Amino acid sequence: MNLRSIDLNLLVILDALLTERNVSRAGERIGLSQSAMSAALARLREVFHDPLLVRVGRDLALTRNAEDLIVPLKESLSKVEQLLLRRPGFDPANDARTFSISASDYAGLVLLTPLVRIISNEAPNVTIHLLPRARDAARVLQTNQADIVIEPIELFGPNDYPSASLLSDRWLCAVDANHPDVTGDTLTETQFLELPHLVYGIGDDRQLNLADQHLANAGVQRRIEVTVESFLLNPFLIKGTRLVSLVLERAARRLIGTIDIKLLESPISVPDIHEAMYWHPRHTTDPGHKWLREKLLNVAQQLD
């Protein structure tokens, strides 16, 4: 195929169509009318000899070929963008850049809150998009949906992505400060097993956090009364109830002043969590990306 016969702007349109899976929303994303998008889609179908998007009821679905195009297309457009933005260095005081970071609300509170303060003071032209934690963190990096993913090492698993360790944390039990059954500063194993539990899970299948995964794998039987897709809501949800929840100490201690709860040692041993940041190799030598990673590492090193 002769590239000179192809309008490479079609690749930007294709990326929007594959991302939105909707002609109107894709047009809004890149500033084209619906008629222009429809015409572009027709040309793309000719180029790829594939319908790319097919109607299923009221929705559009990607063909198998279109699904296979998502990752290489994202990577190719990212390389072109980096080529156009190529510069000898990065000046945080003057340069304008946009970065995206995917992380849980726990990492958001502990790591990204101080990072945002630093960037606000040191890099007035830098924009940070904070994205929720994704179930498939590796795919987020591969498709360039995020520049950095902050994820527990234990959940990310073996991979070839560059990474840097940020922090470790331990699990405590949180209960209402006036819990009718837990009157002292100790939670017994019997109480832990008999009380109703609130657990953190993510996604439609309610993937459990590492602590609750550990207990489930160990065969510990509990009555789970509430599940929530937010670490930070836990203390507020257990207030005024008999619920007990496993929480991460760094986040819980920051919230304890805002809600009347108490933190207790877990009567059943649970492994610590280890957070790391991951990025795609395409960003390793980028001066701006390197500056952002160094700022995150500095924040982590200064945590008490």
Side-chain angles (χ1 to χ4, degrees), residues 104 106-107 111 150-154 164-169 231 248 273-278:
S104 66
Y106 160 78
L111 288 165
I150 299 175
E151 182 80 355
I153 295 171
E154 298 85 351
S165 295
L166 294 173
L167 61 83
S168 61
D169 206 348
F231 276 114
L248 287 163
I273 191 173
H274 303 88
E275 295 272 6
M277 64 172 162
Y278 299 85

Side-chain angles (χ1 to χ4, degrees), residues 194-209:
E194 290 181 349
L195 288 173
H197 282 249
L198 181 151
V199 303
Y200 168 85
I202 185 171
D204 294 336
D205 58 352
R206 301 289 187 268
Q207 180 195 45
L208 296 176
N209 66 68

Side-chain angles (χ1 to χ4, degrees), residues 181-197:
D181 305 305
V182 186
T183 55
D185 295 326
T186 302
L187 182 69
T188 68
E189 183 172 339
T190 298
Q191 290 172 323
F192 181 82
L193 296 175
E194 290 181 349
L195 288 173
H197 282 249

Side-chain angles (χ1 to χ4, degrees), residues 156-171:
F156 202 98
N159 66 90
D160 296 324
Y161 289 103
S163 64
S165 295
L166 294 173
L167 61 83
S168 61
D169 206 348
R170 67 187 190 119
W171 298 90

Side-chain angles (χ1 to χ4, degrees), residues 78 81-82 85-87 89-92 94-100 119 123-129 147 282-283 285-293:
S78 176
E81 184 179 44
Q82 288 181 53
L85 293 174
R86 195 171 184 85
R87 64 192 70 182
F90 174 71
D91 178 8
N94 296 298
D95 289 350
R97 287 288 298 271
T98 298
F99 300 103
S100 55
I119 291 174
N125 298 315
V126 166
T127 299
I128 300 291
H129 295 300
D147 296 293
R282 70 172 77 93
H283 298 308
T285 59
D286 177 87
H289 201 282
K290 185 177 179 181
W291 170 83
L292 180 63
R293 298 195 306 267

